[in-house]
Amino acid sequence: MKCRLNLFSVLQAVPLVSVLMLGYPSTRVLAQSSQTPGCEKLTAAQCVDQALAAMGGRDRLAALKSVRLDVIGHTELMEQSYRQDPFITYYERDKVVLDLEHQRMLQNQHAVWPESDPGTAESDLTLIATPNGGVYHVGDKFAPCSLADIDTARQDLGLGPERLLLNASAATDLHYEAPKELRSTMHTTVSFRWNSMVVRILIHASSHLPDAVETVQQFHDFWYYWGDVRQVVYWENWNLDHGVRYPTNQVIERNGKVWSSTQALNVEFNVPIEEKDFAMDATAARKSTDSKGWDRGFESGHGTELAPGVELFEGSWNATLVKQDDGVILLESPISSSFTAGLFAEAAKRYPGVPIKAVLSTSDSWPHVGGIRYDVAQGATVYIRDLNQPLLDRMLAAPHTIHPDALQQAKRAPRWHVVSGKTEIGSGDNRLVLYPLPGPSTERQYMVYFPERHLLYASDTLVVNPDHTLYDPELVREVQLAVEREHLVVDKVFAMHQGPVAWADVTTTLEKSSS
């Protein structure tokens, strides 16, 4: 079971290039024609003025106080897809109002989530957000929105087609950069700094319209784990409405992969703003900015003893400490470097002087491997599934210069132990045996068996719903087949998102789900 989003949770790389370097031409200096196609003999400011004119003129864009959009779109679930590319797709139909004058966004979302229980795939949610905080609103209840939503609001309001060129024109550091090829056509590139981030605009040589916006940033959604991410937002399908040329199609590419695509089916300018629609609970909005996002820490406390020397720490992502005669094994290092550092500290507190002999990372889902960069920085041996090594190698190589983490500063090579078949670790009562899962939905996971305890860790496959049904019976069925194939005796089972339950109860529930 990949980490399923709910309504109140947060739904390859290139180095960051600093603009604080010498040698940029002044916006007053005339450009060379070979470097500025379509903006020959113009300064960077004049080139942006020309782009403003192509969109309808500075005055018309500045006069836009609000925009209402009817949008349909999809997102490639790169962090959720069981077998990677091609990815599972998530769909949305949204009604969006951008209050440009007061810098706030209202988004009524209708979502279709592909990895849901029967009858629960579709959901509705209202997001109200500003660059300084926001909320989810469902019925009469408010909840803090995510940092990712705040980022989206900030950039939609400041770097969307309505305000991008105006903000570029107002920038004191606006300058040319080397032209770039886009869709087989060379584009003039202008650059400026916005909210401490370098923004590059690719301007078409003939139409003079802004075809793409490029940034490098660390995101607060699932891309957080990739550090410095290069994002390119493409605009297309331009329409003329009330003298303003507006792109109705937007495609977002991250690290060279197309991530999402949206189409505005209807666009309305300067619509009336209903204040009641933007009402936010102040406490919930404040909590949204207090969030640490994915950089959440481990809350030390009492775990659950599954057996002597086997301590489970339950939370949104479970982690377990396993004490063997020659060291401690950390079963999963999820969420973040901060969380994993807390697990290392917990192990040191419980078993002073005993080394961490291994880290078991049983799945490839991004939050599940959020602490691996920390593991590698500590020199730990990490047991990974063979199919996941290319993905994890890329994750380790991804630069984290914007917010340097432990590995960015340590620069260590990984000590992988690649699991491609049955693998035994240690001896004694807490001996472990790793078994790769073979199914189409689980082939990037392995399960961990405690032979002397008749205890099974089922990786990311098992969640028992409150009504005693299974979240995804197919995942559990693939575990059952592996248990039968290996002739394992299992009394209890637990998983990344499930505390210990009787294996017999799980198999009985599984039989009912298929009847």
Side-chain angles (χ1 to χ4, degrees):
M1 192 278 300
K2 294 282 182 174
C3 293
R4 174 184 173 192
L5 299 181
N6 60 58
L7 292 179
F8 301 121
S9 65
V10 180
L11 255 167
Q12 190 94 3
V14 293
L16 177 65
V17 179
S18 172
V19 297
L20 301 178
M21 57 175 67
L22 300 177
Y24 281 128
S26 164
T27 57
R28 295 182 178 275
V29 177
L30 297 184
Q32 298 179 5
S33 60
S34 62
Q35 295 297 303
T36 59
C39 289
E40 295 86 352
K41 298 183 179 180
L42 300 180
T43 65
Q46 290 168 339
C47 184
V48 170
D49 284 342
Q50 183 174 254
L52 281 165
M55 285 190 66
R58 177 187 297 272
D59 291 344
R60 281 197 178 98
L61 286 173
L64 293 181
K65 303 301 182 184
S66 65
V67 180
R68 182 160 59 204
L69 305 167
D70 181 1
V71 176
I72 189 168
H74 68 269
T75 300
E76 302 294 323
L77 296 179
M78 297 177 179
E79 81 287 353
Q80 301 280 340
S81 298
Y82 293 122
R83 305 177 85 173
Q84 293 295 303
D85 198 354
F87 303 105
I88 297 172
T89 306
Y90 157 78
Y91 300 93
E92 272 190 55
R93 179 72 182 270
D94 300 336
K95 308 288 187 179
V96 181
V97 176
L98 299 176
D99 182 357
L100 302 169
E101 184 176 17
H102 299 101
Q103 289 290 285
R104 51 190 180 173
M105 178 178 75
L106 172 68
Q107 186 177 56
N108 291 305
Q109 305 171 356
H110 179 75
V112 182
W113 183 255
E115 297 175 310
S116 302
D117 293 331
T120 67
E122 299 189 46
S123 61
D124 293 288
L125 171 70
T126 296
L127 168 68
I128 308 167
T130 76
N132 302 308
V135 298
Y136 301 127
H137 188 196
V138 178
D140 60 350
K141 298 184 182 301
F142 290 90
C145 75
S146 70
L147 292 179
D149 291 316
I150 298 172
D151 284 348
T152 297
R154 183 181 297 120
Q155 295 185 36
D156 282 357
L157 292 164
L159 299 181
E162 305 87 356
R163 289 291 182 263
L164 173 69
L165 293 176
L166 293 173
N167 284 332
S169 180
T172 58
D173 65 340
L174 181 69
H175 59 271
Y176 283 118
E177 290 192 8
K180 293 192 175 185
E181 187 176 25
L182 182 65
R183 304 187 186 96
S184 303
T185 304
M186 293 306 295
H187 283 61
T188 287
T189 303
V190 295
S191 176
F192 67 103
R193 183 172 284 271
W194 178 84
N195 283 358
S196 303
M197 178 173 64
V198 177
V199 178
R200 297 179 177 87
I201 308 173
L202 279 62
I203 300 175
H204 194 277
S206 300
S207 71
H208 308 301
L209 292 170
D211 266 0
V213 185
E214 180 184 309
T215 58
V216 177
Q217 53 187 297
Q218 183 161 25
F219 290 94
H220 286 106
D221 53 24
F222 285 113
W223 289 88
Y224 170 81
Y225 302 105
W226 293 92
D228 307 353
V229 173
R230 177 179 178 267
Q231 174 172 280
V232 183
V233 179
Y234 299 92
W235 290 332
E236 189 57 270
N237 201 22
W238 294 80
N239 287 337
L240 182 65
D241 188 359
H242 291 82
V244 175
R245 297 180 76 182
Y246 192 89
T248 59
N249 182 241
Q250 174 176 282
V251 175
I252 299 179
E253 177 186 277
R254 289 186 177 177
N255 285 348
K257 288 277 191 180
V258 173
W259 179 53
S260 72
S261 177
T262 57
Q263 178 69 45
L265 305 178
N266 191 47
V267 180
E268 299 174 83
F269 297 139
N270 292 327
V271 297
I273 296 297
E274 297 288 343
E275 287 297 324
K276 62 180 178 60
D277 293 338
F278 286 87
M280 288 192 287
D281 178 82
T283 300
R286 184 174 60 254
K287 288 181 179 179
S288 70
T289 57
D290 292 340
S291 170
K292 293 184 177 296
W294 291 112
D295 190 27
R296 63 193 73 174
F298 172 78
E299 296 183 4
S300 180
H302 297 291
T304 301
E305 187 180 69
L306 303 182
V310 182
E311 199 79 14
L312 168 65
F313 297 91
E314 293 188 69
S316 298
W317 287 266
N318 295 341
T320 307
L321 297 179
V322 181
K323 173 67 168 63
Q324 293 187 337
D325 293 340
D326 57 346
V328 176
I329 294 173
L330 178 55
L331 175 49
E332 306 293 13
S333 59
I335 308 179
S336 69
S337 292
S338 298
F339 186 91
T340 299
L343 286 171
F344 272 66
E346 184 72 20
K349 182 176 71 175
R350 288 173 177 267
Y351 308 108
V354 180
I356 299 286
K357 64 177 287 188
V359 176
L360 309 187
S361 181
T362 72
S363 171
D364 70 327
S365 187
W366 297 7
H368 297 186
V369 298
I372 277 192
R373 286 179 58 91
Y374 182 86
D375 298 329
V376 172
Q378 304 309 306
T381 298
V382 185
Y383 286 68
I384 62 171
R385 184 71 203 265
D386 50 352
L387 295 178
N388 297 338
Q389 184 174 355
L391 177 73
L392 295 175
D393 282 340
R394 292 199 304 273
M395 188 172 285
L396 295 188
H400 285 58
T401 65
I402 299 173
H403 298 290
D405 63 359
L407 186 60
Q408 181 70 30
Q409 300 173 66
K411 297 292 187 183
R412 282 193 174 183
R415 296 174 59 185
W416 297 140
H417 189 116
V418 177
V419 178
S420 56
K422 178 181 176 181
T423 303
E424 297 196 25
I425 305 177
S427 58
D429 290 341
N430 290 336
R431 176 171 65 99
L432 302 179
V433 186
L434 317 183
Y435 294 98
L437 287 164
S441 298
T442 57
E443 67 178 5
R444 291 178 175 270
Q445 302 178 49
Y446 63 82
M447 58 186 190
V448 181
Y449 182 55
F450 297 70
E452 277 65 45
R453 308 294 189 188
H454 294 177
L455 179 66
L456 180 69
Y457 177 76
S459 187
D460 188 21
T461 63
L462 175 64
V463 170
V464 180
N465 295 322
D467 62 356
H468 303 292
T469 61
L470 297 174
Y471 165 73
D472 191 329
E474 173 59 27
L475 299 179
V476 181
R477 187 170 291 109
E478 293 177 17
V479 174
Q480 182 187 43
L481 290 174
V483 167
E484 292 173 351
R485 179 195 64 197
E486 302 297 339
H487 306 290
L488 306 183
V489 178
V490 179
D491 293 336
K492 285 189 176 181
V493 60
F494 67 112
M496 172 66 79
H497 303 288
Q498 178 63 56
V501 292
W503 175 245
D505 291 344
V506 171
T507 56
T508 298
T509 304
L510 182 61
E511 290 174 7
K512 290 180 181 178
S513 70
S514 58
S515 60

